[in-house]
Amino acid sequence: MGEVNPSCILSEEHRPKHVITEGEGIPLIDLSPITNREGLSADPNKAVEDLAAKIGEACRTWGFFTVINHGVPSGIRRRIMEAAREFFALPEEEKKKVSREDHNTAGFHNDEHSKDFKDWKEVYDFYVNDGMLMPASHELDDPEIVPWFTPWPENLPEFRETCAEYGRACEKLFFILLELVSLSLGLPPKRLHGYFENQASFARLNYYPPCPKPELVLGTGGHKDPSALTVLAQEDVEGLDVLRKSDGAWVRVKPVPDSFVINVGDVLQVWSNDLYESVEHRAEVNAETERYSIPIFFHPSHDVTMKPLDELVDEQSPAKYPEYKAGKWLNLRMYNNYKKHGFYMRMTDYKVAA
């Protein structure tokens, strides 16, 4: 990536500029009151209620927040970052042996497009449960269901187990956060758990090489996540920007040691009937330093019907979205991300006309 590929060069309107790097950033939430628990009780105490309120406010105002004292061991965070470095240091021909396919999106790829421009990055995706069932296509009239699986590199013997261990550790954090989100919406803590029994969640190792002209490209262009929640680990190299809801300004997310950045995805936006919004974000690159980040996109089972939750719909707040199968939505978003289509798919494209 020594030269700038013309397909990566953004049009003027999409180039990274005017980023706010000082002042108020996304909320920082300390989970230490609850990280030693296996789950929240049906009758939460004051500390749990306070945390749920803070998370609810962060979801409403930003769609993003950072958590500390989260319970994920620092050792597995360190090992997954080391595993990412080892993988992306492999020769190109070795990485391509585990390339993603059109109908099995895990594996290596370096051709993701955001808003029809090629991203300045390399990626390796793996499924949290190693394999899962998904629709064969995004077409609504195609009933076929097929297995998706992760192609693992053969010459990195500890890579697969490290990825699996990291996925399990972050899954525990995700379910704690999901319970807090449920409480913040006035629901029982485990109200949403059943949607993830055969989850279609996947993790991504992102590698952003230095770029000779970083002002012309983006590591990942502006986008919204298809997940319910995304759990992101990043190191001390900056690059993540969030579109602030209050004024539409791009705000830099400052790395906090041993933290995770959490954001609302499309699925939670639908479930909450727009009480919580999936917010646009992007990743910038720089000319001197490589950057690594690892998001896990926690997504419900393929056969779950996405629709506003019954408890959050009434005459004053009617459902804003029609029913849509979660697997079809994820498949459609994947289809949209890897080819130049001339359009960018958003959940709001499917809103019910007011």
Side-chain angles (χ1 to χ4, degrees):
M1 288 191 171
E3 300 296 327
V4 179
N5 185 329
S7 64
C8 294
I9 297 177
L10 302 168
S11 61
E12 186 68 28
E13 64 181 300
H14 293 302
R15 291 179 186 175
K17 49 192 173 184
H18 308 306
V19 179
I20 297 173
T21 58
E22 302 297 334
E24 181 188 10
I26 67 173
L28 179 68
I29 298 176
D30 185 350
L31 295 181
S32 57
I34 61 169
T35 45
N36 292 327
R37 304 182 181 203
E38 287 298 320
L40 308 184
S41 68
D43 185 22
N45 60 27
K46 181 67 163 55
V48 171
E49 290 175 347
D50 287 347
L51 278 176
K54 289 178 181 178
I55 285 178
E57 179 66 14
C59 290
R60 278 189 297 273
T61 58
W62 280 89
F64 268 80
F65 55 95
T66 298
V67 295
I68 57 174
N69 297 317
H70 41 68
V72 176
S74 58
I76 187 56
R77 282 175 57 100
R78 184 182 66 254
R79 291 198 301 278
I80 192 71
M81 286 293 181
E82 291 171 352
R85 286 186 167 83
E86 290 177 358
F87 176 80
F88 291 115
L90 292 173
E92 190 78 3
E93 60 270 19
E94 287 297 312
K95 289 182 284 191
K96 287 185 174 180
K97 289 180 181 178
V98 290
S99 291
R100 73 177 296 278
E101 301 172 352
D102 285 345
H103 300 294
N104 187 49
T105 61
F108 170 75
H109 54 95
N110 59 0
D111 196 32
E112 187 170 26
H113 287 66
S114 297
K115 296 182 178 175
D116 274 354
F117 296 98
K118 190 175 186 295
D119 295 332
W120 188 268
K121 68 179 178 183
E122 295 182 3
V123 163
Y124 177 85
D125 288 349
F126 65 90
Y127 302 128
V128 171
N129 286 340
D130 203 1
M132 59 190 186
L133 295 176
M134 280 290 290
S137 76
H138 64 279
E139 301 293 344
L140 296 181
D141 58 356
D142 181 0
E144 185 180 4
I145 302 298
V146 296
W148 282 10
F149 60 90
T150 303
W152 298 101
E154 295 181 356
N155 53 354
L156 295 177
E158 298 181 4
F159 182 82
R160 181 172 183 172
E161 179 52 38
T162 298
C163 290
E165 183 181 350
Y166 181 75
R168 290 192 295 268
C170 288
E171 185 180 51
K172 292 180 180 178
L173 170 60
F174 163 70
F175 278 114
I176 289 174
L177 293 169
L178 192 66
E179 293 186 20
L180 290 168
V181 166
S182 295
L183 288 170
S184 75
L185 291 168
L187 305 171
K190 297 188 185 297
R191 169 65 174 85
L192 304 174
H193 276 39
Y195 296 138
F196 295 87
E197 289 183 0
N198 298 296
Q199 60 183 286
S201 305
F202 66 99
R204 170 164 293 175
L205 311 183
N206 283 319
Y207 168 53
Y208 301 102
C211 177
K213 297 284 187 181
E215 70 278 7
L216 299 181
V217 307
L218 281 167
T220 303
H223 66 287
K224 300 183 178 185
D225 291 348
S227 53
L229 290 175
T230 300
V231 176
L232 171 80
Q234 60 175 345
E235 297 183 300
D236 58 356
V237 179
E238 295 184 9
L240 175 62
D241 298 334
V242 172
L243 195 65
R244 188 161 56 195
K245 292 177 62 176
S246 61
D247 60 3
W250 285 105
V251 177
R252 177 61 46 85
V253 176
K254 295 288 187 179
V256 176
D258 196 28
S259 69
F260 286 97
V261 177
I262 314 299
N263 66 276
V264 173
D266 294 337
V267 175
L268 182 54
Q269 178 168 336
V270 172
W271 282 342
S272 72
N273 206 30
D274 278 357
L275 292 174
Y276 300 160
E277 182 182 347
S278 180
V279 171
E280 189 165 343
H281 51 289
R282 69 188 185 188
E284 293 195 43
V285 295
N286 64 77
E288 296 84 25
T289 310
E290 61 187 13
R291 178 173 178 264
Y292 296 85
S293 71
I294 304 175
I296 300 187
F297 306 92
F298 284 98
H299 196 276
S301 312
H302 78 90
D303 54 354
V304 166
T305 299
M306 291 168 52
K307 66 174 185 174
L309 297 171
D310 292 342
E311 299 94 321
L312 304 179
V313 173
D314 55 30
E315 290 185 4
Q316 287 71 41
S317 299
K320 297 180 180 180
Y321 297 91
E323 295 186 1
Y324 205 99
K325 287 295 185 182
K328 290 290 186 182
W329 174 248
L330 180 58
N331 204 316
L332 178 61
R333 283 293 306 272
M334 293 295 192
Y335 169 78
N336 189 225
N337 286 354
Y338 295 102
K339 296 181 186 296
K340 197 166 184 175
H341 299 292
F343 67 94
Y344 174 63
M345 187 63 60
R346 297 176 185 272
M347 194 69 245
T348 49
D349 295 336
Y350 291 85
K351 288 187 77 167
V352 176

